[in-house]
Amino acid sequence: MTYQIKPLSCDPAKIKGMSERLIVSHYENNYSGAVKRLNQIDERLAELDYAKGAGFLVNGLKREQLIAMNSMILHELFFDGLGDQSEPGPALRDALARDFGSFERWRSEFVAMGKALGGGSGWVLLSWSPRDRKLVNQWASDHCHTLAGGTPILDMYEHSYHMDFGAKAASYVDTFMDVIRWNNVQRLFVQTTNGRGTAGDTRQ
């Protein structure tokens, strides 16, 4: 089975504060590149004789498979989360207030985590923890640090800002917060807390 590149789910010409060039470049290079790399890795793994394969080869391919797969999934969520300026619905706002003390407290933490990544490369994820039945903000680096059992419903990729913002990571974080497509976050929250899967199948 082959992973397919999904169509861009946001309108890159209508993301306030971010250029169409930035969005399209990130889609064509970072996201599409991850999908293509994942397919190449899977082809190599399909040919591998695990009984004879060297440990470093198995480790290396499986590590790169995880990085490419998570990069694909997290980028799809990233693009799904971009849109017009909006606000979270009552159910999600209440859940954020319950789990973080207030919506403003959640926002402050999420923003601070994004700005703390400035100068590096990584993700900030708002994830649902089925173990604890609550929402958590999670730091992730190298596309492969995720909460065990958790399901992300919103993410921000810190490294995607350079084309428009240069070294001004904080300005990018503030811009991102103003263009969150909250109806998508709400949809994923409802699906996740009801026990249904959320990740789209990109294979054919």
Side-chain angles (χ1 to χ4, degrees):
M1 299 179 74
T2 302
Y3 290 93
Q4 304 296 321
I5 297 171
K6 293 178 63 175
L8 188 59
S9 55
C10 63
D11 186 339
K14 296 182 178 179
I15 307 301
K16 185 178 179 181
M18 299 184 193
S19 69
E20 181 175 3
R21 179 167 169 259
L22 182 151
I23 301 296
V24 171
S25 175
H26 206 68
Y27 170 79
E28 292 180 346
N29 295 294
N30 297 72
Y31 166 64
S32 299
V35 178
K36 293 173 183 176
R37 189 166 67 253
L38 177 59
N39 286 326
Q40 292 172 344
I41 294 167
D42 281 0
E43 288 177 3
R44 291 289 303 274
L45 286 170
E47 298 168 353
L48 185 62
D49 183 345
Y50 288 98
K52 298 179 181 178
F56 70 85
L57 180 60
V58 176
N59 277 344
L61 285 171
K62 293 302 291 186
R63 177 182 182 276
E64 292 301 316
Q65 182 191 43
L66 177 62
I67 291 173
M69 185 174 294
N70 273 5
S71 180
M72 174 184 69
I73 293 169
L74 293 175
H75 275 100
E76 289 171 357
L77 180 62
F78 174 73
F79 294 124
D80 287 348
L82 295 176
D84 297 327
Q85 190 169 15
S86 61
E87 294 290 334
L92 180 56
R93 182 179 282 271
D94 288 348
L96 290 167
R98 177 197 67 211
D99 295 336
F100 291 90
S102 68
F103 171 76
E104 291 72 22
R105 175 71 180 179
W106 164 79
R107 190 184 190 281
S108 178
E109 181 180 308
F110 195 88
V111 167
M113 291 173 67
K115 292 181 178 181
L117 284 169
S121 177
W123 298 85
V124 181
L125 313 176
L126 172 61
S127 297
W128 173 253
S129 171
R131 179 186 183 276
D132 297 321
R133 302 294 297 172
K134 70 176 186 177
L135 291 164
V136 297
N137 284 332
Q138 186 225 317
W139 169 91
S141 180
D142 200 21
H143 310 296
C144 60
H145 297 95
T146 57
L147 178 69
T151 301
I153 62 173
L154 172 69
D155 65 12
M156 173 174 56
Y157 188 35
E158 183 275 336
H159 200 60
S160 64
Y161 64 86
H162 287 284
M163 190 174 290
D164 282 0
F165 296 89
K168 299 177 180 178
S171 296
Y172 163 76
V173 173
D174 291 337
T175 299
F176 173 87
M177 297 303 294
D178 287 337
V179 295
I180 294 173
R181 190 189 301 174
W182 280 107
N183 61 348
N184 184 71
V185 185
Q186 175 85 24
R187 177 182 62 83
L188 294 177
F189 173 70
V190 171
Q191 288 181 353
T192 301
T193 54
N194 286 341
R196 298 196 298 271
T198 61
D201 191 350
T202 56
R203 295 175 292 177
Q204 290 186 353

